[in-house]
């Protein structure tokens, strides 16, 4: 196996953690449904991508669902989300609809970004979701900035800022870590460690303390943690510690969540089975699939049955197909709309927007 | 003559320069074991090994800056940016260090680095991945900017850029990587290899009525437009390809305009202070008396790159648009 798995405290019963103990059966089923919806959304979008209905890149989240669902399920009114280009799972987790997400992939004006951003650039500020960022680690200072704004306004909240195991090597991330600790910003950097940045394994890209990537936080005197992403109870319980720290002490944390992506880096990744073995992928799918494991957990708790699960998968598949129909039936933006949304002042037809020339082609 | 793709042409240039000079090395994300995100470096790691072809972590400011530092001590790094858009992560290194060290040291130091990669829109990857920074880098004295449109130029210019003793930012185009064109075999050439000097434009098609001047993929757009102008309107357009933006071959442009008396600059760059602005200014200053019409510029529609595929097609210049604008001054 390419990456070094951390040793997790398997003896801790995360189900008994207060944040999990308070979950009703309905809550637990909802968490399952959210993961199922992400997986189905991704499979259906892959299908239409392969039919040539979308352009650009498609970075699928399949295999990592427990990270977005588990962490975002803990968020309250003043908690904010920002992530990279593998952003569909987070979008659905904050409550964005499949319709607007799918339409964005099809480049339609009913998309969440009016067809202007595409797969990598989803946004929904009304749901505290600040993107969707294509430049590796470009979002990491922004995450600190959202936390700064919360602190500045005196709000009790935090920012969950997601990044990959490859993104941790960007200077912007390290500068952001220093600022976050120096200025006590309530930001939580969530490293979604799927073992690879494109075709490069963790050991070929990162120098780090033996224990893992999050431990680099120690250099900044920052708290950190490492979490087994295949266990939704664990993701929730340990992320809550970081959220409490942010809410109560206004302090940052780096958490590293071990996870795995089943598909290529993007659909265009022709080498997806070259830099890692088929067996490695299969092993994750068979033994570590977060969705299956959560379903099994809930079956063992008597909360769902296998039939419930099948029905849920089917329903989510239908929802995703309906979203694809919605997307196909929607209009593309009008050519004149290319120039909308460039300047606030111009869009709002203000005096400033009408003074001087703004566009030059 | 044999035909190879733009991608293969670049690959040959890299391979030949690796063979010629042991100080040449290739550094970038996924360039070695993965064979390059766009397969430009395919096979080179297999052939040349870990020392010469090096996979870098995602740390553009760090590894581009490192390449600049290594070049000060005589290494000739050819740095790949997976997308030239990521140059903005390394902007300080590329502008502040690569461009100015020679000047500030009073000429004691030089920086023989090449930074190359695709610098284009048109592939529906959204604004963050679709930047066209040729005008921005060409604005900075100390830097050279090259933008080949054909496989032959890609090969000859890249080899020359690697031998150049100043920093050269070499801007390719993902939409051209798969395009084929004639590239001579080395044994067909008098010097045994293909070298094309920087600062030499090329007339890609001769014509008498109008000069379409361009760089990068816009050259291909102009060639298609010229065909339509000829076939449907009886207008004989000349197509001039800058090939290198800085240094700039002003004489070839002026010669063309003095002959045709009409000029249109076409580029996929943004318009404000675009390359076309520089050319238009130069033409009016140096060939004013020859002009029968204002110099026109056609560029990207002036917004960040839109994702929506059919819209992005319209955002960038296309042959019919060039024809329409050309007719307005003919
Ligand atoms: C600045 C920058 N450099 C390179 C890229 C190209 N790129 C996109 S994703 C990626 C790998 C990132 O891996 P990781 O951070 O582990 O995230 P994952 O894809 O595994 O979710 C690379 C090299 C980019 N988008 N931005
Ligand atoms: Mg990764």
């Amino acid at each position: 196996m390419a990456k070094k798995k951390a040793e997790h405290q398997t003896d801790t019963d995360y189900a008994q953690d207060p944040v999990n103990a308070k979950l009703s059966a309905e809550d637990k089923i909802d968490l399952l449904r959210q993961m199922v919806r992400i997986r189905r959304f991704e499979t259906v979008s892959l299908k239409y991508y392969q039919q040539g209905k979308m352009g650009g890149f498609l970075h699928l989240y399949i295999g990592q669902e427990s990270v977005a669902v588990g962490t975002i399920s803990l968020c309250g009114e003043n908690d904010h989300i920002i992530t990279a280009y593998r952003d569909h799972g987070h979008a659905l987790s904050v409550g964005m609809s499949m319709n607007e997400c799918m339409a964005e992939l099809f480049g339609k004006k009913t998309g969440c970004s009016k067809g202007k951003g595409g797969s990598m650039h989803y946004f929904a500020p009304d749901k505290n979701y600040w993107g969707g960022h294509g430049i590796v680690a470009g979002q990491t200072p922004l995450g600190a900035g959202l936390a700064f704004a919360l602190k500045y306004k005196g709000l009790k909240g935090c920012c969950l800022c997601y990044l990959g195991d490859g993104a941790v090597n960007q200077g912007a991330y390290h500068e952001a870590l220093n600022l976050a600790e120096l200025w006590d910003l309530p930001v939580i950097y969530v490293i979604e460690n799927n073992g690879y940045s494109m075709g490069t394994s963790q050991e070929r890209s990162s120098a780090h303390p033996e224990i893992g990537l999050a431990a680099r936080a120690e250099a900044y005197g920052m708290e950190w943690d490492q979490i087994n992403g295949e266990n939704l109870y664990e993701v929730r319980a340990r992320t809550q510690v970081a959220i409490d720290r942010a809410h109560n002490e206004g302090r940052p944390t780096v958490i590293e969540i071990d996870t795995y992506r089943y598909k290529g880096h993007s659909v265009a990744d022709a080498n997806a089975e070259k830099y890692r073995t088929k067996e490695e992928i299969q092993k994750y799918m068979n033994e570590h699939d977060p969705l299956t494991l959560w379903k099994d957990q809930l079956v063992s708790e008597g909360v769902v049955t296998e039939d419930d699960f099948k029905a849920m998968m089917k329903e989510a598949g239908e929802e995703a197909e309906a979203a694809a129909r919605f997307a196909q039936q929607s209009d593309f933006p009008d050519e004149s709309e290319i120039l909308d949304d460039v300047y606030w002042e111009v869009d709002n037809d203000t005096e400033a927007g009408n003074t001087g020339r703004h566009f030059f082609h | 003559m044999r035909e190879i793709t733009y991608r293969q042409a670049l690959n040959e240039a890299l391979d030949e320069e690796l063979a010629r000079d042991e100080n040449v090395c290739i550094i970038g994300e996924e360039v070695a074991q993965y064979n390059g995100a766009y397969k430009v470096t395919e096979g080179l790691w297999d052939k040349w090994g870990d020392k010469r072809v090096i996979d870098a972590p995602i740390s553009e400011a760090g590894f581009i800056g490192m390449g600049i530092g290594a070049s000060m001590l005589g290494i000739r790094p050819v740095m790949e940016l997976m997308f030239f858009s990521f140059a903005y992560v390394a902007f300080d290194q590329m502008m502040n260090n690569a461009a100015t060290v020679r000047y500030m040291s009073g000429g004691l130091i030089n920086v023989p680095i090449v930074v190359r990669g695709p610098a284009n829109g048109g592939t529906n990857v959204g604004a963050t991945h679709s930047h066209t920074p040729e005008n921005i880098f060409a604005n900075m004295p100390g830097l050279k900017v090259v933008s080949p449109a054909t496989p032959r130029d890609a090969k000859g210019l890249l080899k020359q850029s690697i031998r150049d003793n100043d920093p050269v930012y070499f801007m390719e185009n993902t939409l051209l990587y798969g395009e084929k064109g004639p590239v001579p075999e080395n044994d067909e050439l008098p010097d045994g290899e293909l070298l094309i000097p920087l600062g030499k434009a090329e007339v890609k098609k001769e014509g008498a009525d109008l000069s379409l001047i361009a760089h990068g993929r816009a050259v291909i757009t102009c060639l298609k437009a010229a065909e339509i102008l000829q076939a449907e309107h009886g207008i004989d357009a000349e197509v001039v390809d800058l090939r290198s933006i800085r240094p700039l071959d002003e004489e070839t442009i002026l010669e063309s305009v003095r002959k045709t008396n009409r000029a249109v600059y076409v580029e996929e760059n943004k318009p404000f202070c675009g390359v076309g602005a520089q050319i238009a200014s130069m033409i009016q200053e140096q060939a004013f008396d020859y002009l029968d019409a204002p110099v026109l510029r056609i560029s990207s529609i002036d917004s960040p790159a839109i994702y929506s595929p059919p819209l992005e097609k319209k955002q960038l210049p296309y042959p019919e648009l060039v024809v329409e604008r050309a007719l307005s001054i003919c």
Side-chain angles (χ1 to χ4, degrees):
Chain A
M1 202 174 68
K3 70 175 165 174
K4 192 174 171 306
K5 271 268 177 193
E7 282 180 31
H8 295 292
Q9 299 145 284
T10 42
D11 51 347
T12 313
D13 187 359
Y14 292 107
Q16 297 312 314
D17 190 277
V19 77
N20 292 324
K22 73 175 186 201
L23 292 173
S24 66
E26 202 34 62
D27 293 337
K28 292 177 186 180
I29 295 170
D30 189 57
L31 291 169
L32 181 62
R33 185 178 295 114
Q34 286 190 45
M35 290 203 278
V36 164
R37 286 178 69 244
I38 294 171
R39 188 156 299 184
R40 280 290 165 259
F41 178 87
E42 296 292 62
T43 0
V44 169
S45 63
L46 172 61
K47 178 174 116 185
Y48 288 98
Y49 183 90
Q50 285 169 336
Q51 289 177 13
K53 297 277 159 70
M54 302 163 188
F57 294 136
L58 188 67
H59 303 90
L60 298 175
Y61 199 60
I62 298 178
Q64 303 185 202
E65 296 91 340
S66 57
V67 179
V69 170
T71 54
I72 293 172
S73 66
L74 302 164
C75 287
E77 190 189 356
N78 291 318
D79 298 321
H80 294 254
I81 306 297
I82 189 165
T83 187
Y85 43 83
R86 200 178 297 286
D87 58 353
H88 309 166
H90 309 78
L92 294 176
S93 297
V94 301
M96 289 169 69
S97 72
M98 281 201 194
N99 277 1
E100 62 186 317
C101 290
M102 195 64 87
E104 189 60 32
L105 300 180
F106 281 73
K108 299 301 179 75
K109 67 178 175 192
T110 51
C112 55
S113 304
K114 301 184 194 158
K116 291 187 163 174
S119 165
M120 302 192 284
H121 308 113
Y122 282 7
F123 294 91
D126 62 320
K127 299 188 174 63
N128 293 2
Y129 179 83
W130 299 95
H133 293 266
I135 295 298
V136 168
Q139 76 280 15
T140 55
L142 301 183
L146 292 163
F148 178 91
L150 288 168
K151 180 175 179 178
Y152 194 91
K153 293 182 174 185
L155 295 169
K156 184 171 175 168
C158 72
C159 174
L160 292 174
C161 178
Y162 300 81
L163 65 155
D165 50 286
V168 300
N169 297 316
Q170 287 286 39
Y173 171 58
H174 289 270
E175 296 181 27
L177 287 183
N178 183 52
L179 293 173
E181 181 60 34
L182 187 68
W183 291 340
D184 288 336
L185 303 178
V187 57
I188 299 162
Y189 288 103
V190 181
I191 303 169
E192 299 196 50
N193 189 345
N194 58 17
Y196 297 90
S197 48
M198 276 188 79
T200 305
S201 63
Q202 179 180 331
E203 65 262 32
R204 290 210 303 120
S205 65
S206 296
H208 57 82
E210 195 165 348
I211 178 79
L213 297 170
R216 284 180 177 177
E218 267 177 34
Y220 300 97
M222 195 187 295
E223 305 283 347
W224 59 276
D225 196 7
Q226 207 175 24
I227 298 174
N228 178 0
E230 72 193 38
N231 180 344
L232 202 64
Y233 279 141
E234 179 175 341
V235 171
R236 282 174 46 88
R238 296 174 76 150
T239 304
Q240 185 63 48
V241 176
I243 292 180
D244 288 343
R245 183 177 297 121
H247 284 182
N248 301 329
E249 303 167 44
R251 299 208 32 237
T253 307
V254 175
I255 60 185
E256 174 179 357
I257 304 187
D258 278 325
T259 183
Y260 200 77
R261 73 165 149 76
Y262 298 165
K263 301 288 180 184
H265 166 71
S266 72
V267 181
D269 177 4
N271 295 354
E273 290 181 355
K274 287 192 187 148
Y275 51 79
R276 52 184 192 175
T277 60
K278 267 202 173 82
E279 292 70 36
E280 178 183 308
I281 304 172
Q282 204 56 49
K283 187 173 156 62
Y284 269 91
M285 290 170 46
N286 294 344
E287 297 170 24
H288 303 281
D289 182 49
L291 212 165
T292 310
L293 291 173
W294 183 244
K295 182 260 296 174
D296 289 347
Q297 174 69 30
L298 297 193
V299 170
S300 76
E301 290 181 26
V303 170
V304 292
T305 64
E306 294 287 349
D307 283 346
D308 294 339
F309 178 66
K310 278 190 198 121
M312 197 181 274
M313 290 287 271
K314 184 158 176 278
E315 196 183 322
E318 284 162 6
E319 186 190 357
E321 284 291 353
R325 279 195 299 281
F326 167 81
Q328 304 221 58
Q329 286 158 7
S330 297
D331 291 330
F332 286 110
D334 194 69
E335 199 175 333
S336 66
E337 291 170 73
I338 294 178
L339 286 175
D340 293 345
D341 310 312
V342 180
Y343 291 104
W344 189 95
E345 301 285 0
V346 174
D347 294 337
N348 287 284
D349 201 19
T350 62
E351 191 181 338
N354 285 299
T355 307
R357 184 172 173 188
H358 286 75
F359 298 103
F360 294 88
H361 63 283
Chain B
M1 198 185 294
R2 67 166 181 161
E3 296 220 331
I4 60 172
T5 63
Y6 187 97
R7 172 187 287 113
Q8 287 167 321
L10 292 166
N11 185 277
E12 280 188 6
L14 293 167
D15 189 32
E16 289 177 21
E17 293 307 296
L18 283 163
R20 184 189 59 84
D21 181 350
E22 64 182 5
N23 280 324
V24 172
C25 61
I26 296 175
I27 304 175
E29 290 156 24
E30 308 291 351
V31 295
Q33 298 191 21
Y34 196 91
N35 276 320
Y38 288 100
K39 302 283 173 273
V40 170
T41 54
E42 185 149 33
L44 298 178
W45 175 71
D46 275 339
K47 181 168 174 186
W48 296 102
D50 284 332
K51 181 177 175 188
R52 310 291 300 282
V53 184
I54 304 163
D55 275 329
I58 311 169
S59 309
E60 285 86 0
F63 72 75
I64 296 282
M66 193 198 76
I68 295 166
S71 77
M72 301 194 304
L73 209 56
I75 307 302
R76 290 180 172 268
V78 184
M79 315 295 296
E80 174 170 304
L81 286 168
M82 193 180 288
F83 282 72
F84 226 102
S85 290
F86 309 155
Y88 295 0
V89 176
F91 202 64
D92 176 56
Q93 297 298 325
M94 295 175 72
M95 283 295 233
N96 247 336
N97 286 345
T100 66
V101 163
R102 175 161 184 77
Y103 191 74
M104 294 190 304
S105 68
L108 296 176
I109 302 173
N110 64 307
V111 176
I113 194 173
V114 172
V115 181
R116 53 155 289 273
N120 58 284
T123 60
N124 325 128
V125 284
T128 56
H129 283 56
S130 305
H131 292 291
T132 47
E134 54 268 40
N135 58 329
I136 296 175
F137 286 115
N139 181 259
M140 186 66 200
L143 299 179
K144 299 185 177 182
V145 176
V146 175
S147 174
T150 65
R152 183 177 180 280
D153 290 345
K155 179 171 181 185
L157 288 166
L158 183 54
K159 281 170 64 77
Q160 190 65 53
S161 299
I162 294 171
R163 298 183 195 192
D164 200 282
N165 287 315
D166 292 308
V168 181
Y169 296 168
F170 194 93
M171 306 199 187
E172 303 160 9
N173 190 311
T174 47
L175 293 170
L176 296 178
Y177 281 149
E179 294 294 311
K180 280 192 163 181
V183 179
E185 300 270 15
N186 284 342
D187 56 19
E188 296 167 354
L189 293 160
D191 301 328
E193 61 180 338
L194 181 66
L195 288 167
I196 296 174
L198 275 54
K200 282 269 181 223
E202 186 178 61
V203 175
K204 285 279 192 292
K205 175 194 171 294
E206 295 212 15
D209 301 335
L210 157 82
S211 300
L212 299 174
I213 311 162
H215 67 272
R217 195 173 75 106
V219 172
I220 311 298
T221 306
C222 288
L223 288 169
K224 288 181 187 151
E227 272 176 33
I228 302 174
L229 283 166
Q230 185 68 266
E232 295 176 16
H233 306 280
I235 292 172
D236 182 19
E238 177 148 303
V239 177
V240 181
D241 175 3
L242 297 192
R243 302 200 292 193
S244 110
I245 292 166
R246 186 171 184 149
L248 178 67
D249 179 359
E250 295 192 334
E251 204 35 56
T252 300
I253 299 168
L254 289 169
E255 215 172 280
S256 175
V257 175
R258 285 191 206 110
K259 177 172 74 175
T260 65
N261 313 116
R262 286 179 173 78
V264 180
Y265 198 85
V266 185
E267 62 188 317
E268 299 190 351
N269 211 180
K270 303 299 175 200
F272 194 97
C273 297
V275 176
Q278 176 69 27
I279 307 291
S281 153
M282 185 270 290
I283 293 173
Q284 65 80 23
E285 205 175 306
Q286 300 191 44
F288 187 75
D289 291 338
Y290 292 87
L291 286 174
D292 287 344
V295 180
L296 296 187
R297 298 193 292 137
I298 306 176
S299 66
S300 156
I301 292 181
D302 200 9
S303 77
I306 191 167
Y307 159 68
S308 189
L311 278 284
E312 198 189 10
K313 269 210 179 84
K314 294 191 177 148
Q315 186 169 18
L316 299 179
Y318 46 93
E320 294 72 20
L321 178 71
V322 175
V323 169
E324 184 191 313
R325 298 295 305 281
L327 290 177
S328 77
I329 55 161
C330 283

